[in-house]
Amino acid sequence: MKHLRVLAACACILPRGCAFYYRAHGNRKILHSSSSVMRGGRGTSLTSLGRPSLANEEHVTSHHLSLESNLIAVRGGACSDSTPALFGKVAASAAVETFIMYQLLAFGAAANTLTSMPSGTRILQAVLALFVVFGSSYFGQLIDSGMSAATRQVLAPNEIPGDADWYLNLQKPFWNPPGWLFPIMWLVVSKPTQFVAVTKLMANNNKTDIMIPLLVYCAHLSLGDAWNKVFFGLQCIGRGVTVISAFWGVLLLSALLFYKVDPSAGIFLVPTFLWVSVAAALNWSIFILNKTM
């Protein structure tokens, strides 16, 4: 799966390879298991008595095709769940993720007044910013893994492994960027400029002015991670549009708040804003082109 999948994976730095692999091959395993059950159950007993009758053979085939059709049809996972339940999960996970990352950046910003060693403070701030900017998905994974099995079942009760070729088979606009461009933009342009913007803001001695911008920035990272889960993990195109629109809006607000405190820090967020604008437009285009799916 190219293009947007590469974008989402690079945006979160740590791709959810295992989760994607499971969703890519889950249906095949379920169908294979179901086929084995039918062969070991009804099929075996019929074979032991001789060749099964045509009626029974047609019944088994019909049942198998019906099962396969149902499994593939519900490839949206939790998309069959209610919108409030899905967005409730997204909001809860994003809120906790935002809180954790914000506490790290706030601690780094507070170090300006806690120590008389500027060089040590800058190193501490750089390390914390590095963790947050380049490793935001670690915090999301920590939160998701920390949920009990029962909690995860409540949040995504209808989740079913998706189609292996789901994204590949989606209709895409003619201007769909080439796949090789996404990792270059995220790893070479977007993430480093975000890192510079955050460290510049953390170095500001006016703690009151920088706390809200840092909080909004962390919220934008959490929403980016949430979009990855909703669009690729649950394969919800329409709800992915909603999440990435919120992601885009919060990023714009973050850039404006950074600019008010330190104009150069706000400018360093512009490349990320432009690239997320491309991702949002692509998600919207895919949604429009695939409405009937």
Side-chain angles (χ1 to χ4, degrees):
M1 299 183 182
K2 302 177 180 177
H3 308 319
L4 263 178
R5 172 160 291 182
V6 178
L7 167 62
C10 293
C12 296
I13 296 301
L14 181 66
R16 290 173 171 76
C18 293
F20 288 158
Y21 179 86
Y22 175 72
R23 287 183 167 85
H25 299 274
N27 279 348
R28 294 192 181 97
K29 292 180 180 179
I30 293 175
L31 291 175
H32 175 73
S33 175
S34 301
S35 302
S36 300
V37 170
M38 286 186 290
R39 286 194 299 267
R42 181 189 303 248
T44 301
S45 60
L46 289 173
T47 303
S48 63
L49 296 175
R51 178 175 175 79
S53 67
L54 180 61
N56 286 333
E57 190 172 357
E58 289 178 350
H59 175 76
V60 172
T61 303
S62 174
H63 180 72
H64 182 276
L65 292 175
S66 175
L67 174 62
E68 181 175 354
S69 175
N70 289 336
L71 287 171
I72 294 178
V74 194
R75 72 182 175 194
C79 277
S80 57
D81 197 4
S82 65
T83 297
L86 178 61
F87 286 151
K89 171 195 174 180
V90 170
S93 178
V96 176
E97 187 177 341
T98 299
F99 175 78
I100 294 174
M101 293 188 294
Y102 171 71
Q103 292 302 316
L104 291 175
L105 295 185
F107 176 76
N112 289 323
T113 59
L114 296 178
T115 179
S116 58
M117 299 175 59
S119 60
T121 300
R122 298 295 177 265
I123 293 174
L124 174 63
Q125 291 174 344
V127 170
L128 292 174
L130 195 68
F131 278 143
V132 171
V133 174
F134 285 89
S136 60
S137 67
Y138 279 108
F139 302 101
Q141 280 192 330
L142 207 63
I143 295 165
D144 292 341
S145 299
M147 291 181 176
S148 66
T151 303
R152 286 197 297 270
Q153 181 65 23
V154 169
L155 294 177
N158 301 315
E159 185 173 346
I160 295 176
D163 183 2
D165 299 322
W166 174 76
Y167 183 74
L168 183 65
N169 292 331
L170 292 176
Q171 297 184 50
K172 304 174 188 65
F174 69 91
W175 52 267
N176 188 32
W180 56 263
L181 184 60
F182 290 97
I184 292 176
M185 288 302 300
W186 280 113
L187 298 177
V188 179
V189 178
S190 176
K191 288 299 182 178
T193 53
Q194 287 183 56
F195 174 76
V196 173
V198 172
T199 52
K200 287 178 73 68
L201 207 69
M202 291 173 69
N204 191 298
N205 290 321
N206 193 335
K207 185 179 178 181
T208 305
D209 290 343
I210 66 175
M211 290 298 100
I212 292 181
L214 289 177
L215 177 63
V216 175
Y217 173 79
C218 291
H220 120 268
L221 289 178
S222 300
L223 287 171
D225 193 31
W227 170 66
N228 182 29
K229 299 172 187 175
V230 171
F231 187 85
F232 289 112
L234 301 178
Q235 300 178 355
C236 301
I237 301 176
R239 289 162 187 174
V241 164
T242 302
V243 178
I244 201 172
S245 297
F247 175 29
W248 180 88
V250 174
L251 174 57
L252 175 60
L253 177 60
S254 177
L256 294 174
L257 292 174
F258 271 48
Y259 186 85
K260 288 181 64 176
V261 176
D262 185 332
S264 62
I267 292 173
F268 272 110
L269 286 183
V270 171
T272 300
F273 173 74
L274 294 177
W275 192 236
V276 171
S277 297
V278 174
L282 187 55
N283 195 161
W284 270 100
S285 298
I286 289 175
F287 171 66
I288 294 171
L289 293 172
N290 296 272
K291 275 186 175 180
T292 59
M293 293 186 63

